[in-house]
Amino acid sequence: KMPSTMIDSSSVNIIEEKKEGDPSFPSRTIVARDTLKHEISKGVVRKKLAKQRHLVIEKAFDGNYLDSFFPKLKDLFDPQTVHYNGGIAKVKEWKISCYLEVMEGGIPCTNPHLELRNVFLPLLETCNDLFIHWYRQQHSCNNPNQKRKLENFGVKRIMTFVTRYTPNPGEQALLKHVDGAGKVDGSVVVALPTDNNFEGGGLTFWDGRRKNPMEIHYDTRSGDLAFI
């Protein structure tokens, strides 16, 4: 049994601006602890030493905060059927995600669920802030020009969706794929709560040296955060 939910702020593009009045740190009621950005910085260093580019932080978001809007999520969740090229796994029809934000003219394309987007907006804005910190650490170097470029930028979410996985055929997993297929600067994945007991689930990455990437699996649970 693998019923679970995840939000994927997949397809995040870096833009050369920073919003006025951005908080120096996300709301304490959303993140689980004040040391989160420090953990991200340390995690990036460890991953760089291992020649890997992804990062997973366990229980990054406060469980009580996520649980507080779970009933609203269940009530509003409305999966949409989309068709696209299928990616590496060649799955061309996808029908277990509810789209909150969509790329204009992009594939897959559907109408965004604006009411559910409003429920998630504080979490999404927090993900923006954390992604900026991760991306800056990921691309920092001793080049002064690069440092200046990384000081003032924001992010634009291109495709955001909530996915509910179940043990039913075709609903068990999003199989191996390349996020954004080269059209984005990165992705964020957040594991959400469920009210059903389950076994299995999680996230698998193929990362490392280009010619010999490692298959790395994480037993992700509610509140876990992944940067890709």
Side-chain angles (χ1 to χ4, degrees):
K1 293 174 61 180
M2 296 186 297
S4 61
T5 50
M6 288 189 176
I7 185 170
D8 189 337
S9 191
S10 173
S11 323
V12 179
N13 273 0
I14 294 297
I15 55 178
E16 297 273 338
E17 63 182 44
K18 188 171 182 179
K19 287 191 283 186
E20 300 257 344
D22 274 354
S24 60
F25 195 84
S27 170
R28 183 65 178 84
T29 60
I30 298 178
V31 299
R33 50 198 176 272
D34 295 333
T35 58
L36 189 55
K37 285 189 174 180
H38 181 62
E39 291 175 45
I40 291 171
S41 299
K42 290 179 63 176
V44 168
V45 172
R46 293 192 184 102
K47 287 297 183 181
K48 283 184 175 181
L49 292 173
K51 305 298 183 184
Q52 296 171 9
R53 296 187 293 174
H54 75 282
L55 179 66
V56 175
I57 302 290
E58 294 184 0
K59 298 187 182 304
F61 294 103
D62 184 79
N64 291 329
Y65 170 76
L66 297 178
D67 290 343
S68 70
F69 66 75
F70 182 63
K72 193 75 172 177
L73 166 60
K74 288 183 64 177
D75 182 53
L76 294 175
F77 183 77
D78 185 19
Q80 298 151 292
T81 299
V82 296
H83 298 85
Y84 64 115
N85 61 17
I88 298 172
K90 302 188 183 304
V91 178
K92 296 188 176 183
E93 183 178 82
W94 187 252
K95 53 186 179 181
I96 61 172
S97 295
C98 182
Y99 290 80
L100 312 184
E101 296 166 325
V102 298
M103 179 170 55
E104 185 176 350
I107 298 175
C109 188
T110 186
N111 293 321
H113 193 314
L114 298 181
E115 189 176 359
L116 188 56
R117 177 185 179 274
N118 288 337
V119 173
F120 275 93
L121 197 55
L123 179 61
L124 293 175
E125 293 297 328
T126 301
C127 286
N128 278 9
D129 183 78
L130 295 174
F131 180 87
I132 288 172
H133 182 75
W134 171 79
Y135 190 88
R136 184 177 286 121
Q137 300 299 315
Q138 185 74 13
H139 294 273
S140 63
C141 62
N142 294 325
N143 185 330
N145 292 329
Q146 179 72 1
K147 284 185 177 181
R148 282 194 293 270
K149 183 178 179 180
L150 290 171
E151 283 175 0
N152 296 297
F153 68 83
V155 297
K156 180 181 179 181
R157 297 185 303 272
I158 303 297
M159 189 77 72
T160 306
F161 50 92
V162 179
T163 302
R164 178 182 60 197
Y165 298 102
T166 78
N168 300 325
E171 299 183 359
Q172 297 173 335
L174 175 55
L175 301 178
K176 187 177 182 181
H177 65 286
V178 178
D179 253 12
K183 298 179 181 178
V184 300
D185 293 295
S187 297
V188 176
V189 181
V190 179
L192 298 174
T194 178
D195 53 4
N196 293 314
N197 294 324
F198 67 96
E199 298 174 0
L203 282 174
T204 301
F205 295 90
W206 286 262
D207 198 358
R209 299 183 185 277
R210 290 182 180 274
K211 294 184 178 180
N212 189 29
M214 296 175 58
E215 181 176 325
I216 308 164
H217 183 76
Y218 295 89
D219 186 27
T220 49
R221 293 297 182 263
S222 179
D224 292 354
L225 167 68
F227 298 102
I228 310 167

